[in-house]
Structures are given as structure tokens and as C-alpha cells.
């Protein structure tokens, strides 16, 4: 057991703990902030495994953009200071969520652990050129597919926000009313 | 050298730079702003032209009572200044002053600086929300909207430079730099500069802390040292962004006698950039929220995309 293993275990433990806190806390904004900790320490895990680029992109995209967007949405609607029990889910939902989470964990463990054969693999070739070669070589089609998916989501979001409203309260011009 | 000793030495020198340069920029701002507005600025502290004014300010801030509002979210409120300040310290550690003078030479240095400064903006949001104050919340929201919009042109213009240099390493980019880049990357440089000033929320992009409408935005409830940390993080942000601009677009240590004067060139170029940032604050009135968003999405993003396409075409053609 090297010091890197211990470090990885510690950081992984913080990731898991903060992820659990993010879904169990009763404070809405605290949930978003625990998510920051979880995503940030996940970047730490990547860093310890030698995937420097992945770690930095994780930090830039998730902490820098996604969580800021989440916090902005919270502030724009309602960002209560104290606990907000009216948002907490029922016991049935909690149990179902826990069962599904445990099932996913078991599934992933059952697939990944035998696949790696108990061998510890570290991506020591985590430098940018190696990752770029892999990404635009072997993995170029999944990569492009994901970008098309994101583009579709973007266009769809634009379409939804630009869609003419049909609710009676909104002022509708006379021409469109007849159609 | 003993590796542990080296790490300690490097960390201490980065910390020293981090403690000195923002104060220099702060003092410059006091004096430059004062003279641009036809007044003297602080003149008494320390004797010569009030050079010790910021030290005196620090002494004042330390003595003030550290107040946390009763309705505030205690931990988030107390943590926010640190979250705003520390990322700039981390970012400063990887920016090279000269080929050998760098805290830590990271392979993907550009991304590192961007990622670190992206974390820093969380501090503002945390402070704005946790203060339990309407003005602070409004300021936090404005900050979030502004930072989300300006992050994109910032990253796009940096991507153009990285593409041109063929590397994400900061010292690699400076090595690949050529004086012609001043023309070739000019639109990208402008986009980066404007977006960087907006990320720092300096005037004319100081909508989030607009003191004439929402008191002091996210900092409204802060006193004493915590407030000083927010101010320090603003100056540290100026230092980081002007160093980054120098390294990315102005060729860092390239210049006459760059073998011996390299660090001086880097520091001189970024000093000029810092003064321009201060100058902008004095010169232009504050942009309104809709003007801010319009500038980001209708001007900066398209220009940055065109620059990126231009760079990509040239890189592909020249590599044939």
C-alpha cells in the first residue's frame, strides 16, 4: 500500500460522504454546496490517478459552470436560509432511491471488479497529448455522438423557450389567434 | 536540492508574491485613480506619497469586530472569503514569470488557471446567499449571471491561443509565441481582456457590487478581515489575470535582452495591463445588466468563435 493509495482512499471517502450529504441534507443551498465538494474531490481522485486533464476539465465544467448555474437557479427562484422540509421526499421514495442506488453500485462493482481482475491500474500517461490522441482516435464516434446530443439539447431548449405561448392570460396577437 | 525543502521554498515564495503584488496593485489603484480624477489620494501614511496606506488599512481591518449576522448561514458565511481568495493563490502558483521562475510547471497550465479562477467565483455566490440580506442576494445573482456569460468567451479565446501554440502548457505557449501573434490573435486578446475584467467584476462591469444601488452587493454584511479578504481577492484577481494575459497574448518574457531581463519583461507587461484595468474603471460608467449580457453573447462570443475558426484554419493550413 503506497501513500498514493491512502490518499486516494481518503479523497474517495470525502467524495462519497459529501455526495451522500448532498442528497440527504434538508438545506437546499447546502445540497448544491455539498455537490461542489463532491465534484471537487472527484477531480482530486482523477488527479491522484494521474489524469490531470480530466481533473481540470471536471473542475472547470462542473464546479465552474454547472454548480454556478444550479446556485443561480436556486437564487432566482427561492433560496431559503433554513431547512425546507416541504421539499423533502416521502419515505417510500427514499427507500426506492436507496435500493436503486445500492443496486447500481452492486451492478457496477460486479462488472468492473472481475473485469479488472483485482489489478490496480493507474493512468500514468495522463498527459494532454495522450488523452487527445485517444479521444480523437479510438473514441471519436462516442465523442461526436455526445456533442450532437448536447447540441440537440441546446436547440431544443431554445425552441422551448421561443415557443409561442397558448395560455389565455398571455397577450396573443390577433393574426395568430385565428390560426 | 532536497525535494521537500524545494517544495517548501517554492510555496513560500509563491505566498510572498501573492501577498506583495496585490498590495502593489491596490496602492497603484489608489494613486492612479486619484490622479486621473485630479486629486491626491492617500498622502500621509508612511511618508512618501502615502505608500503605506494599504498596510494601515490592513491594521484597521484587523482591529474591526468580526460580525456574523444572526440570520446568516454561519458556516457558509464564514467560509466564503476563503473560497474567493485561495483559488487565486493556487492559480498564481502555476503562472511562469520566466522559463525557470515558476511555482509549479503544470502540463495543462492554462486549464489549471481557468479552473482555479472558476472555483473562486463560488465564494461570491456563497457570500451573497449566506448573508441573509436582499442586497447581498441580488448582488450574488448578478455575479452568477455575469460570470456564467463571460466564462464562455474567456475559455474560447484561451482555446484559440492554445490551438495556435499547440500546447496547454503556459511556458510552452510563450515559447511558441511570435510577435506576429499580436495581429493574428488580436480579436481573441480583446475578447479575453474584456471577459477577464468582467470575471473580476471591475468597473465598468461592477454590476454585482454596484455601490449606488445595492450597497456593496455580496460583501454588504462583511466586516473586518473577511471583508478585507474579498478586497484582496479582487486585487489578486487583477494580478492573476494580467499575468495570464501577458503570458498568453503578449509573449511573456520575450523582449530585448530576454535572457537576463525575462522576468522584468513579464512583470512590466502585466503592470501595464493592470494599469489599463484600473484605467477602465475610472473611464467608463457601469454597464446595465441587459447591456452586460448583450455584450457577452452578441459581441464577445461570436468574435471569439471567429477567432477560433481563424486560428484553426491557419494551423491546419500551415501544418500541411
Amino acid at each position: 500500500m503506497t501513500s498514493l493509495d491512502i490518499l486516494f482512499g481518503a479523497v474517495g471517502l470525502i467524495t462519497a460522504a459529501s455526495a451522500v450529504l448532498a442528497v440527504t441534507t434538508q438545506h437546499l443551498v447546502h445540497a448544491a454546496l455539498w455537490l461542489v465538494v463532491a465534484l471537487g474531490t472527484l477531480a482530486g481522485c482523477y488527479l491522484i490517478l494521474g489524469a490531470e486533464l480530466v481533473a481540470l476539465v471536471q473542475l472547470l465544467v462542473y464546479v465552474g459552470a454547472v454548480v454556478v448555474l444550479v446556485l443561480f437557479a436556486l437564487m432566482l427562484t427561492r433560496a431559503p436560509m433554513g431547512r425546507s422540509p416541504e421539499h423533502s421526499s416521502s419515505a417510500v421514495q427514499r427507500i426506492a432511491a436507496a435500493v436503486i442506488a445500492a443496486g447500481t453500485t452492486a451492478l457496477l462493482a460486479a462488472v468492473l471488479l472481475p473485469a479488472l481482475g483485482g489489478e490496480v491500474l493507474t493512468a500514468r500517461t495522463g498527459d494532454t497529448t495522450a488523452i487527445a490522441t485517444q479521444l480523437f482516435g479510438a473514441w471519436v464516434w462516442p465523442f461526436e455522438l455526445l456533442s450532437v446530443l448536447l447540441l440537440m439539447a441546446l436547440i431544443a431548449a431554445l425552441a422551448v423557450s421561443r415557443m409561442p405561448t397558448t395560455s389565455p392570460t398571455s397577450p396573443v396577437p390577433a393574426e395568430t389567434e385565428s390560426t | 536540492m532536497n525535494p521537500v525543502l524545494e517544495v517548501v521554498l517554492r510555496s513560500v515564495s509563491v505566498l510572498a508574491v501573492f501577498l506583495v503584488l496585490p498590495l502593489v496593485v491596490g496602492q497603484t489603484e489608489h494613486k492612479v485613480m486619484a490622479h486621473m480624477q485630479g486629486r491626491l489620494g492617500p498622502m500621509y501614511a508612511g511618508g512618501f506619497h502615502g505608500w503605506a496606506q494599504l498596510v494601515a488599512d490592513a491594521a484597521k481591518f484587523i482591529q474591526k469586530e468580526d460580525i456574523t449576522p444572526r440570520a446568516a448561514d454561519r458556516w457558509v458565511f464564514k467560509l466564503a472569503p476563503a473560497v474567493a481568495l485561495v483559488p487565486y493563490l493556487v492559480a498564481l502558483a502555476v503562472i511562469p514569470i520566466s522559463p525557470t521562475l515558476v511555482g509549479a510547471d503544470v502540463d495543462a497550465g492554462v486549464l489549471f488557471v481557468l479552473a482555479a479562477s472558476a472555483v473562486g467565483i463560488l465564494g461570491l455566490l456563497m457570500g451573497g446567499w449566506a448573508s441573509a440580506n436582499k442586497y447581498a442576494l441580488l448582488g450574488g445573482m448578478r455575479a452568477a449571471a455575469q460570470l456564467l456569460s463571460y466564462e464562455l468567451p474567456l475559455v474560447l479565446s484561451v482555446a484559440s491561443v492554445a490551438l495556435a501554440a499547440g500546447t496547454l502548457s503556459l511556458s510552452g505557449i510563450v515559447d511558441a509565441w511570435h510577435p506576429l501573434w499580436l495581429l493574428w490573435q488580436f480579436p481573441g486578446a480583446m475578447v479575453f481582456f474584456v471577459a477577464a475584467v468582467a470575471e473580476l467584476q471591475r468597473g465598468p462591469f461592477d454590476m454585482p457590487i454596484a455601490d449606488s444601488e445595492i450597497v456593496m452587493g455580496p460583501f454588504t454584511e462583511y466586516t473586518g478581515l473577511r471583508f478585507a479578504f474579498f478586497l484582496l481577492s479582487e486585487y489578486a484577481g487583477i494580478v492573476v489575470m494580467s499575468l495570464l494575459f501577458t503570458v498568453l497574448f503578449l509573449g511573456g518574457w520575450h523582449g530585448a535582452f530576454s535572457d537576463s531581463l525575462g522576468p522584468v519583461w513579464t512583470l512590466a507587461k502585466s503592470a501595464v495591463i493592470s494599469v489599463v484595468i484600473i484605467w477602465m474603471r475610472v473611464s467608463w460608467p457601469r454597464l446595465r445588466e441587459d447591456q452586460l449580457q448583450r455584450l457577452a453573447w452578441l459581441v464577445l462570443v461570436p468574435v471569439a468563435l471567429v477567432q477560433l475558426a481563424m486560428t484553426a484554419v491557419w494551423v491546419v493550413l500551415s501544418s500541411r
Side-chain angles (χ1 to χ4, degrees):
Chain A
M1 207 161 182
T2 62
S3 54
L4 269 185
D5 290 341
I6 299 171
L7 199 61
F8 181 78
V11 175
L13 209 62
I14 300 175
T15 312
S18 49
V20 167
L21 277 170
V23 290
T24 52
T25 178
Q26 299 244 323
H27 295 67
L28 269 185
V29 177
H30 283 193
L33 293 176
W34 281 120
L35 190 64
V36 172
V37 179
L39 294 170
T41 44
L42 190 60
C45 287
Y46 292 147
L47 204 61
I48 293 167
L49 291 178
E52 188 185 285
L53 186 75
V54 183
L56 292 176
V57 170
Q58 157 97 6
L59 214 56
L60 188 65
V61 172
Y62 284 95
V63 178
V66 172
V67 178
V68 171
L69 194 63
V70 168
L71 279 174
F72 179 63
L74 274 179
M75 283 178 170
L76 202 60
T77 51
R78 192 188 304 167
M81 292 303 296
R83 292 161 180 276
S84 38
E86 71 271 19
H87 292 300
S88 51
S89 42
S90 67
V92 181
Q93 276 173 314
R94 282 164 187 243
I95 292 166
V99 168
I100 289 173
T104 315
T105 313
L107 189 69
L108 280 178
V111 171
L112 288 181
L113 286 182
L116 297 177
E119 190 183 348
V120 178
L121 294 175
T122 46
R124 279 285 159 258
T125 54
D127 68 302
T128 316
T129 326
I131 288 187
T133 315
Q134 289 250 316
L135 197 59
F136 292 101
W139 301 98
V140 67
W141 289 112
F143 181 78
E144 289 300 326
L145 208 63
L146 278 179
S147 12
V148 170
L149 180 73
L150 286 177
L151 189 64
M152 270 163 59
L154 189 71
I155 295 172
L158 196 69
V160 168
S161 66
R162 284 284 175 95
M163 207 134 61
T165 48
T166 47
S167 62
T169 49
S170 66
V172 184
E175 297 89 47
T176 51
E177 231 170 19
S178 58
T179 52
Chain B
M1 204 193 294
N2 183 354
V4 177
L5 185 69
E6 190 181 336
V7 167
V8 170
L9 255 176
R10 280 171 184 266
S11 311
V12 168
S13 25
V14 168
L15 188 66
V17 169
F18 183 73
L19 290 178
V20 171
L21 281 189
L23 289 189
V24 173
V25 169
Q27 181 65 18
T28 312
E29 179 175 66
H30 279 177
K31 300 311 284 189
V32 169
M33 266 175 74
H35 284 285
M36 282 178 176
Q37 295 166 341
R39 55 191 174 87
L40 287 176
M43 284 297 277
Y44 294 101
F48 179 73
H49 279 260
W51 65 269
Q53 183 58 44
L54 283 179
V55 181
D57 281 348
K60 183 190 74 179
F61 278 128
I62 291 170
Q63 291 169 44
K64 282 196 173 179
E65 188 186 355
D66 180 25
I67 299 171
T68 309
R70 191 184 300 153
D73 192 297
R74 227 178 159 66
W75 283 103
V76 180
F77 183 84
K78 290 195 163 180
L79 211 60
V83 176
L85 185 60
V86 172
Y88 284 123
L89 170 65
V90 178
L92 200 63
V94 301
I95 299 182
I97 308 290
S98 79
T100 46
L101 208 61
V102 51
D105 203 3
V106 181
D107 184 37
V110 177
L111 268 183
F112 190 94
V113 176
L114 287 180
S117 58
V119 174
I121 64 181
L122 272 176
L124 279 176
L125 302 189
M126 285 165 67
W129 170 76
S131 299
N133 178 318
K134 287 278 190 290
Y135 294 123
L137 188 65
L138 273 175
M141 268 171 60
R142 287 177 176 188
Q146 179 170 332
L147 297 169
L148 274 175
S149 316
Y150 282 88
E151 187 87 8
L152 189 61
L154 192 77
V155 173
L156 282 175
S157 56
V158 169
S160 159
V161 180
L163 195 60
T167 173
L168 285 174
S169 149
L170 283 169
S171 39
I173 288 175
V174 179
D175 284 338
W177 188 81
H178 186 272
L180 272 182
W181 283 28
L182 286 176
L183 277 180
W184 182 30
Q185 298 292 334
F186 182 75
M190 284 299 108
V191 169
F192 179 88
F193 185 71
V194 174
V197 176
E199 287 265 309
L200 296 172
Q201 305 171 22
R202 300 271 311 170
F205 304 102
D206 56 348
M207 197 72 194
I209 49 169
D211 48 342
S212 51
E213 356 177 332
I214 50 172
V215 193
M216 197 67 188
F219 316 148
T220 303
E221 295 288 354
Y222 282 91
T223 54
L225 261 188
R226 290 179 205 280
F227 181 67
F229 279 166
F230 273 125
L231 289 188
L232 190 63
S233 76
E234 185 178 329
Y235 292 130
I238 296 180
V239 170
V240 167
M241 284 304 180
S242 33
L243 276 173
L244 194 61
F245 187 83
T246 308
V247 166
L248 291 178
F249 295 100
L250 300 181
W253 48 84
H254 286 295
F257 308 108
S258 60
D259 287 337
S260 49
L261 288 181
V264 179
W265 274 112
T266 313
L267 290 178
K269 287 171 183 173
S270 32
V272 171
I273 298 299
S274 306
V275 170
V276 174
I277 292 178
I278 295 166
W279 191 358
M280 283 176 75
R281 176 178 174 187
V282 188
S283 305
W284 278 306
R286 182 180 302 135
L287 262 72
R288 238 172 28 227
E289 188 64 42
D290 58 325
Q291 293 168 331
L292 271 175
Q293 299 294 339
R294 190 173 292 275
L295 178 66
W297 293 104
L298 296 185
V299 179
L300 294 186
V301 171
V303 170
L305 283 174
V306 167
Q307 168 76 72
L308 194 60
M310 226 159 71
T311 311
V313 167
W314 176 253
V315 166
V316 169
L317 285 183
S318 64
S319 68
R320 282 272 164 86

